[in-house]
Amino acid sequence: MSAFYFFSLGIMVLPSLAYVSSYSWRHLYIFTSIPTLVYCVLVLPFVSESPRWYIVQGRMEDAMKALRVFARRNGKFIPRGVELASELGDGENSPKAVAKIAENQDGDTVPLSVDHSQDFSSIDSSPAGGTKASGSLLDIFRYAETRLRMIVMAVVWFSCAVVYYGISLNVVNIGVSLYLSVFLNAIAEMPAFAITAFLLGKLGRKVMLAGSMLLSGGCCLIATFLITTPSPSPAPLPNSLFLGNWAAVPYMNMLHSDASSAPLHNAKEIGRLVCGVVGIFGMAATYNLTYLYTAELFPTVVRNAALGLASQASQLGAVVAPLVVVLGRMNPSISFAVFAVSAITGGLLSLKLPETLNKPLWDTFEGLKSEEQRHEHEILS
């Protein structure tokens, strides 16, 4: 979650780059692409495959090698004889083993796992070391335990992107400086990340997700009533900037709108700016949480597929956002109304998700199903 601070730092730098390269969008593309290419090269020596992925692929030795590398980098030591427990096996490597013990170099005994057999109602009887678990996007919708979660998270990610990018682009419809608004929005994200990280372990994922989305939706709803006059007509797009792609026209017209230089001259303008900043605050907290929450909602065998689908829903929302902003040129209240409905809908739907705070991070559908059955049994009893 701390990585999002650097995301906001990049957005804070973006207005400066955009101002310097305002005479050509191609220069802005170059300035923002070079750091990405450099990062892709520099990060390679530090990237490792996930030990959990090795486990579900039945590659237990590779998983242990990765863990030993992690331990060595952190100045730790994994004793000899340590083996990984897995949801896939039923023998000496399974979580049914009770208080497995290994000897370290000093001859002391170290407990490696405890009995979790009551958590598993169906476990493959083949040895864990040779068992390979598999899963696909279709499996997410095949199992009732994950189907509703995926649908809700897709809506949440879509709504989050519509509101997050929509508020950032909508400054051209409310008469405030584009550069100032983007910079303030990035600053507002910093405390959102800190507060989310602090409260996440106290209030839980579900409360934080619903609360942040409803906060953003409420601010957008208030902003709807602070707009009484139509926005100025955008400046025409220069022929030299025409890309031969109609989808690029709304973006370029917004970037060259005269409305972006309008001063803050009355209370309503300040109110709209404050609502936009607080709205971004809520959506930044949501974005910071959705990656973690989505990963915890799905087992390892389909976790990447679930995150991929949720990310695609987010990208679709990013595509829709500028279209909503263009729609707001007729009346800026329309844009804020759409943002409010999107955020409130996502916030209310998130209440249907289970809480994952202090819950196991499952590797297979079998483990997840057993947890759901145990939870239902606790409710009934």
Side-chain angles (χ1 to χ4, degrees), residues 2 67 71 101 175 232 248 297 303 310 312 323-324:
S2 300
L67 290 176
I101 303 297
L297 285 172
R303 188 168 294 127
Q312 288 300 311
L323 302 180
V324 176

mmCIF file of all heavy atoms in Angstrom, residues 2 67 71 101 175 232 248 297 303 310 312 323-324:
data_model
loop_
_atom_site.group_PDB
_atom_site.id
_atom_site.type_symbol
_atom_site.label_atom_id
_atom_site.label_comp_id
_atom_site.label_asym_id
_atom_site.label_seq_id
_atom_site.Cartn_x
_atom_site.Cartn_y
_atom_site.Cartn_z
ATOM 1 N N SER A 2 2.067 1.150 0.572
ATOM 2 C CA SER A 2 2.952 2.320 0.616
ATOM 3 C C SER A 2 3.408 2.753 -0.777
ATOM 4 O O SER A 2 3.808 3.907 -0.968
ATOM 5 C CB SER A 2 4.174 2.010 1.484
ATOM 6 O OG SER A 2 3.782 1.700 2.803
ATOM 7 N N LEU A 67 11.805 -18.588 -0.506
ATOM 8 C CA LEU A 67 11.689 -18.157 0.887
ATOM 9 C C LEU A 67 13.062 -18.018 1.539
ATOM 10 O O LEU A 67 13.280 -17.114 2.355
ATOM 11 C CB LEU A 67 10.827 -19.153 1.659
ATOM 12 C CG LEU A 67 9.334 -19.165 1.304
ATOM 13 C CD1 LEU A 67 8.612 -20.256 2.075
ATOM 14 C CD2 LEU A 67 8.698 -17.812 1.588
ATOM 15 N N ALA A 71 14.617 -14.737 3.266
ATOM 16 C CA ALA A 71 15.154 -14.766 4.626
ATOM 17 C C ALA A 71 16.581 -14.224 4.666
ATOM 18 O O ALA A 71 16.938 -13.443 5.552
ATOM 19 C CB ALA A 71 15.110 -16.193 5.169
ATOM 20 N N ILE A 101 7.497 -30.446 13.628
ATOM 21 C CA ILE A 101 8.690 -29.969 14.313
ATOM 22 C C ILE A 101 9.909 -30.177 13.427
ATOM 23 O O ILE A 101 10.025 -31.177 12.727
ATOM 24 C CB ILE A 101 8.891 -30.710 15.654
ATOM 25 C CG1 ILE A 101 7.662 -30.556 16.548
ATOM 26 C CG2 ILE A 101 10.126 -30.221 16.372
ATOM 27 C CD1 ILE A 101 7.393 -29.125 16.952
ATOM 28 N N GLY A 175 -14.533 25.620 -14.131
ATOM 29 C CA GLY A 175 -13.896 26.927 -14.115
ATOM 30 C C GLY A 175 -12.761 27.094 -13.131
ATOM 31 O O GLY A 175 -12.631 28.149 -12.518
ATOM 32 N N PRO A 232 -17.794 27.605 -19.896
ATOM 33 C CA PRO A 232 -17.451 28.269 -21.150
ATOM 34 C C PRO A 232 -17.214 27.260 -22.261
ATOM 35 O O PRO A 232 -16.825 26.124 -22.011
ATOM 36 C CB PRO A 232 -16.157 29.016 -20.797
ATOM 37 C CG PRO A 232 -16.118 29.082 -19.310
ATOM 38 C CD PRO A 232 -16.847 27.879 -18.825
ATOM 39 N N ALA A 248 -9.382 10.971 -29.447
ATOM 40 C CA ALA A 248 -8.399 11.872 -28.849
ATOM 41 C C ALA A 248 -8.908 13.305 -28.784
ATOM 42 O O ALA A 248 -8.373 14.111 -28.036
ATOM 43 C CB ALA A 248 -7.097 11.828 -29.647
ATOM 44 N N LEU A 297 -9.772 -11.563 -1.313
ATOM 45 C CA LEU A 297 -11.083 -12.177 -1.533
ATOM 46 C C LEU A 297 -11.010 -13.460 -2.356
ATOM 47 O O LEU A 297 -11.964 -14.246 -2.343
ATOM 48 C CB LEU A 297 -12.012 -11.184 -2.239
ATOM 49 C CG LEU A 297 -12.576 -10.042 -1.387
ATOM 50 C CD1 LEU A 297 -13.302 -9.033 -2.265
ATOM 51 C CD2 LEU A 297 -13.517 -10.579 -0.309
ATOM 52 N N ARG A 303 -6.205 -15.769 -8.212
ATOM 53 C CA ARG A 303 -6.010 -14.391 -7.731
ATOM 54 C C ARG A 303 -5.569 -13.464 -8.866
ATOM 55 O O ARG A 303 -6.076 -12.343 -8.998
ATOM 56 C CB ARG A 303 -4.975 -14.379 -6.599
ATOM 57 C CG ARG A 303 -4.849 -13.016 -5.920
ATOM 58 C CD ARG A 303 -4.047 -13.131 -4.638
ATOM 59 N NE ARG A 303 -4.766 -13.935 -3.665
ATOM 60 C CZ ARG A 303 -4.251 -14.985 -3.038
ATOM 61 N NH1 ARG A 303 -3.007 -15.357 -3.298
ATOM 62 N NH2 ARG A 303 -4.964 -15.650 -2.166
ATOM 63 N N ALA A 310 -10.689 -7.337 -12.628
ATOM 64 C CA ALA A 310 -11.010 -6.100 -11.920
ATOM 65 C C ALA A 310 -10.264 -4.917 -12.535
ATOM 66 O O ALA A 310 -10.825 -3.827 -12.682
ATOM 67 C CB ALA A 310 -10.656 -6.235 -10.441
ATOM 68 N N GLN A 312 -9.343 -4.661 -15.649
ATOM 69 C CA GLN A 312 -9.994 -4.347 -16.922
ATOM 70 C C GLN A 312 -11.256 -3.522 -16.706
ATOM 71 O O GLN A 312 -11.563 -2.614 -17.488
ATOM 72 C CB GLN A 312 -10.333 -5.643 -17.664
ATOM 73 C CG GLN A 312 -9.121 -6.364 -18.233
ATOM 74 C CD GLN A 312 -8.365 -5.499 -19.224
ATOM 75 O OE1 GLN A 312 -8.933 -4.917 -20.132
ATOM 76 N NE2 GLN A 312 -7.051 -5.399 -19.019
ATOM 77 N N LEU A 323 -15.749 10.706 -21.387
ATOM 78 C CA LEU A 323 -17.030 10.862 -22.082
ATOM 79 C C LEU A 323 -18.061 11.512 -21.169
ATOM 80 O O LEU A 323 -18.878 12.321 -21.615
ATOM 81 C CB LEU A 323 -17.527 9.500 -22.570
ATOM 82 C CG LEU A 323 -16.588 8.740 -23.518
ATOM 83 C CD1 LEU A 323 -17.194 7.404 -23.927
ATOM 84 C CD2 LEU A 323 -16.276 9.581 -24.752
ATOM 85 N N VAL A 324 -18.026 11.166 -19.876
ATOM 86 C CA VAL A 324 -18.921 11.804 -18.913
ATOM 87 C C VAL A 324 -18.566 13.281 -18.767
ATOM 88 O O VAL A 324 -19.447 14.137 -18.645
ATOM 89 C CB VAL A 324 -18.827 11.086 -17.542
ATOM 90 C CG1 VAL A 324 -19.683 11.806 -16.503
ATOM 91 C CG2 VAL A 324 -19.251 9.629 -17.661
#
